[in-house]
Amino acid sequence: MSNFHAIWCDHRESSETHDDILPYCYKQIHGVKLAATDADKFPPGMWVYAISAAHPDALTSGVKTENDQQFDGIEMVTEHHDGTGWSERKFRLTSDAARSLAAALIRAADIQQGLTR
Ligand SMILES: [Zn+2]
C-alpha cells in the first residue's frame, strides 16, 4: 500500500490522515520549559516540530491545502496556561532560519555562561 506521508512524519506508521486542524505532515522533535512570567499559572513550554506540506491523500479532506508551502520548514509552538486553559502560539520559519536561530541560541548561552565572549 502506498504511503503519502513525509518519510519522517509521525503519522506515517499508522497511516492516519491529518485533519483540518493540523493539515500537514509533522514530527515532534523536542520540547523545553520556558521561564514563567507573572501571568503563567503553570510552567510554559515550547515545542519544536519538523513540518511539511502534505500530499492530498495524507489529508482527511483529501484536498491540497491552499498556500501549503507555508507548512514547509520548522514550527515552534509556545504553550501558556493563564489559570483557565492552555493557549498556544505558533512560529514558523525555514530550516535555514532555524539553523541560524539555533546557532544564535548556542552563542547567546555560551556568552551568558561565560564560556566565550
Ligand atoms: Zn503526514
Side-chain angles (χ1 to χ4, degrees), residues 3-6 8-12 16-18 24-26 52-55 58-59:
N3 193 316
F4 293 96
H5 289 281
W8 39 259
C9 180
D10 281 347
H11 286 210
R12 188 175 175 85
E16 273 182 70
T17 52
H18 299 288
Y24 45 92
C25 283
Y26 56 85
S52 181
H55 187 283
L59 296 172

Side-chain angles (χ1 to χ4, degrees), residues 45-95:
M46 176 184 278
W47 289 92
V48 174
Y49 298 81
I51 63 172
S52 181
H55 187 283
D57 289 349
L59 296 172
T60 307
S61 68
V63 180
K64 181 175 134 77
T65 311
E66 206 172 328
N67 300 325
D68 64 355
Q69 69 277 3
Q70 67 183 302
F71 303 130
D72 286 326
I74 306 301
E75 184 174 86
M76 298 185 300
V77 182
T78 58
E79 298 174 329
H80 291 271
H81 198 296
D82 62 5
T84 54
W86 289 95
S87 60
E88 60 176 39
R89 176 146 182 218
K90 293 183 177 183
F91 302 85
R92 295 198 181 118
L93 58 169
T94 64
S95 290

